[in-house]
């Protein structure tokens, strides 16, 4: 039984694609046959973050329009077994994605035996974003501890609850998860950043994980290698924990406390 | 710089507190304008209710409809089950 997972946020630049890449890689490394789909038609970037940009031949729009078969468009990841990427097209045609078309692609992927279908949503609430979440069984809402990102996350949660297929068909609603990214415990400590508790209180969605602000994320995207593969980095480990929780394990939160600084360190040190 | 910061942080209202207060007001307002969200425990609850029903009667997934309605004063959880064959009746609870 496949699970359709959407990674969404409303606001741009909060880490949706980084998260989609990391989570899908983590699921595949756990032995789940996983495909990650880029829904950002016209502005694809998942291929870069996954490091498969030079192997893109066909994309999801080609598949929907019958110009290529699904297996021609799926790119198998070279480093991670069980992991496939379905890129977005670079067409400017906004109507290239249709509800029926996406539904058919997802059904075909189910028949191919994929355990997880991860949909990387574009920013905003336009067509691409709506189609990315429409068929979802579960949603990962990515949010930064920053005022506009939290507001947009709340808006997306409202849309998930009212505009998805599950909502329209009156089925059990989408299971929601909150993933906080770019978290800086030391800035929370000084009272200049919203805390995990603040965000949970406002959004009231179960917490999937907290990814610390980390130089490893930029390094990973520079190299085209999902950050979860860097097992020695804080962000990589935080994503591994989140994947374990997604699969039902109970894992304590890490990287949310700041290291206590000595009094002298606070006097003379920079924060 | 370090020395000054300590005093500054104590005397100033931390900005995260302001962010939280502004968000709480804003989001309460936006949710009030048709931006309603079902409680997050709903999927789990629905699953468990289905399991209980299935202890007594076999129902298909599509024979059970869950709906949450939102009014200004209250929220209504509606559960609609179509029983199989001769028991073709609806059962309702809130």
């Amino acid at each position: 039984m496949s699970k359709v997972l959407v990674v969404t946020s409303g606001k741009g630049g909060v880490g949706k694609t980084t998260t989609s890449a990391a989570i899908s890689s983590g699921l595949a490394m756990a032995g789940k046959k996983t495909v990650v789909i880029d829904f950002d038609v016209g502005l694809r970037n998942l291929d870069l973050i996954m490091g498969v940009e030079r192997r893109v031949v066909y994309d999801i729009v080609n598949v929907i329009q019958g110009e290529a078969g699904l297996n021609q468009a799926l790119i198998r990841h070279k480093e991670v077994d069980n992991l496939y990427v379905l890129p977005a097209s670079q067409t400017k045609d906004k109507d290239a994605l249709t509800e029926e078309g996406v539904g058919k692609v997802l059904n075909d992927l189910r028949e191919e035996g994929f355990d997880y279908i991860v949909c990387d949503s574009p920013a905003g609430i336009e067509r691409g974003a709506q189609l990315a979440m429409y068929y979802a069984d579960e949603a990962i809402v990515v949010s930064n501890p920053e005022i506009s990102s939290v507001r947009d996350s709340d808006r997306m949660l409202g849309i998930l609850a009212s505009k998805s297929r599950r909502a329209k068909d009156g089925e059990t609603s989408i299971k929601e998860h909150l993933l906080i990214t770019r978290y800086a415990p030391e800035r929370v400590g000084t009272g200049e950043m919203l805390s995990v508790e603040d965000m949970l209180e406002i959004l009231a969605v179960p917490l999937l994980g907290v990814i610390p602000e980390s130089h490893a994320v930029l390094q990973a995207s520079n190299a085209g290698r999902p950050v979860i593969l860097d097992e020695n980095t804080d962000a990589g480990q935080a994503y591994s924990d989140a994947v374990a929780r997604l699969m039902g394990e109970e894992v304590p939160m890490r990287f949310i406390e700041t290291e206590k600084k000595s009094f002298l360190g606070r006097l003379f040190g920079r924060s | 710089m370090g020395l000054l910061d300590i005093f500054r942080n104590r005397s100033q209202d931390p900005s995260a507190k302001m962010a939280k207060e502004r968000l709480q007001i804003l989001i309460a307002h936006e949710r009030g304008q048709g931006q309603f969200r079902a409680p997050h425990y709903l999927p789990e609850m629905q699953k468990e209710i289905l399991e209980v029903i299935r202890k007594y009667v076999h129902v298909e997934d599509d024979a059970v409809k869950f709906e949450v309605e939102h009014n200004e004063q209250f929220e209504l959880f509606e559960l609609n089950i179509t029983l199989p064959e001769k028991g073709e009746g609806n059962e309702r609870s809130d």
Side-chain angles (χ1 to χ4, degrees):
Chain A
M1 186 66 184
S2 333
K3 250 185 203 163
V4 179
L5 207 69
V6 61
V7 178
T8 186
S9 70
K11 192 174 181 297
V14 299
K16 282 183 297 296
T17 301
T18 297
T19 297
S20 300
I23 298 278
S24 57
S25 302
L27 289 167
M29 290 190 296
K32 306 287 182 189
K33 191 176 175 189
T34 305
V35 56
V36 56
I37 310 176
D38 192 346
F39 275 80
D40 205 344
V41 169
L43 290 169
R44 75 165 169 238
N45 276 320
L46 179 69
D47 54 339
L48 274 178
I49 304 302
M50 299 293 293
V52 300
E53 73 277 9
R54 286 164 57 179
R55 296 165 57 208
V56 175
V57 182
Y58 296 110
D59 56 61
I60 185 168
V61 173
N62 294 136
V63 176
I64 286 175
Q65 296 180 345
E67 296 153 359
L70 189 56
N71 285 312
Q72 288 175 288
L74 284 177
I75 304 169
R76 199 172 65 84
H77 200 270
K78 282 191 170 152
E79 193 174 345
V80 183
D81 283 344
N82 307 313
L83 181 60
Y84 295 80
V85 182
L86 183 55
S89 95
Q90 288 291 49
T91 174
K92 286 181 200 149
D93 179 11
K94 284 198 166 178
D95 298 327
L97 289 184
T98 59
E99 200 173 288
E100 306 77 54
V102 172
K104 183 170 185 309
V105 168
L106 295 182
N107 268 334
D108 292 349
L109 288 168
R110 283 194 190 96
E111 278 170 21
E112 290 286 321
F114 280 97
D115 298 307
Y116 281 94
I117 302 170
V118 179
C119 303
D120 181 22
S121 173
I125 49 174
E126 299 297 317
R127 191 185 191 86
Q130 290 193 11
L131 285 174
M133 64 93 186
Y134 188 73
Y135 294 99
D137 301 309
E138 298 191 23
I140 298 176
V141 176
V142 182
S143 193
N144 291 166
E146 182 272 324
I147 194 160
S148 51
S149 175
V150 176
R151 179 201 209 170
D152 287 1
S153 296
D154 192 72
R155 298 268 301 157
M156 278 322 295
L157 288 163
I159 292 170
L160 285 168
S162 59
K163 300 258 166 72
S164 64
R165 186 195 62 79
R166 281 176 169 269
K168 286 192 173 154
D169 292 353
E171 284 182 29
T172 52
S173 42
I174 293 177
K175 190 172 177 189
E176 300 159 340
H177 308 272
L178 177 65
L179 185 79
I180 300 174
T181 55
R182 308 200 70 166
Y183 196 68
E186 64 282 1
R187 299 184 72 188
V188 173
T190 57
E192 53 178 312
M193 182 180 269
L194 289 167
S195 67
V196 172
E197 293 77 22
D198 291 339
M199 292 177 71
L200 287 175
E201 192 184 324
I202 293 166
L203 293 171
V205 172
L207 184 63
L208 181 68
V210 179
I211 313 300
E213 173 83 61
S214 167
H215 61 91
V217 172
L218 182 60
Q219 285 180 348
S221 71
N222 285 342
R225 208 166 164 269
V227 70
I228 200 169
L229 301 180
D230 296 326
E231 287 162 1
N232 296 322
T233 63
D234 47 1
Q237 290 169 4
Y239 272 119
S240 296
D241 290 356
V243 169
R245 287 183 204 110
L246 195 62
M247 294 192 301
E249 282 177 51
E250 282 202 23
V251 184
M253 293 288 164
R254 290 193 274 176
F255 315 111
I256 55 173
E257 302 285 345
T258 172
E259 288 170 44
K260 287 272 182 289
K261 275 194 173 173
S262 68
F263 179 68
L264 281 179
R266 283 174 59 197
L267 272 187
F268 300 109
R270 295 206 24 182
S271 60
Chain B
M1 171 139 180
L3 192 60
L4 271 178
D5 271 353
I6 288 174
F7 296 112
R8 208 177 282 144
N9 281 342
R10 293 214 175 129
S11 59
Q12 246 181 21
D13 208 13
S15 60
K17 211 177 135 201
M18 271 161 55
K20 186 184 176 187
E21 285 165 4
R22 291 174 63 208
L23 272 171
Q24 281 173 324
I25 294 165
L26 179 74
I27 282 175
H29 179 75
E30 286 183 343
R31 281 184 197 158
Q33 294 179 331
Q35 270 285 320
F36 165 67
R37 260 175 49 208
H40 67 79
Y41 55 76
L42 203 64
E44 206 62 27
M45 188 171 86
Q46 290 173 354
K47 217 179 92 198
E48 284 179 28
I49 290 173
L50 246 181
E51 280 165 13
V52 173
I53 292 167
R54 284 194 176 138
K55 271 192 195 166
Y56 301 94
V57 54
H58 178 76
V59 288
E60 298 294 334
D61 274 351
D62 59 1
V64 182
K65 294 254 184 265
F66 294 94
E67 246 170 82
V68 181
E69 267 179 52
H70 180 65
N71 267 317
E72 269 175 34
Q73 288 93 6
F74 59 89
E75 282 162 15
L76 184 74
F77 174 60
E78 195 175 281
L79 170 59
N80 202 320
I81 307 157
T82 311
L83 293 172
E85 286 176 24
K86 60 182 180 200
E88 273 261 299
N90 286 346
E91 224 163 81
R92 229 162 230 217
S93 76
D94 48 28

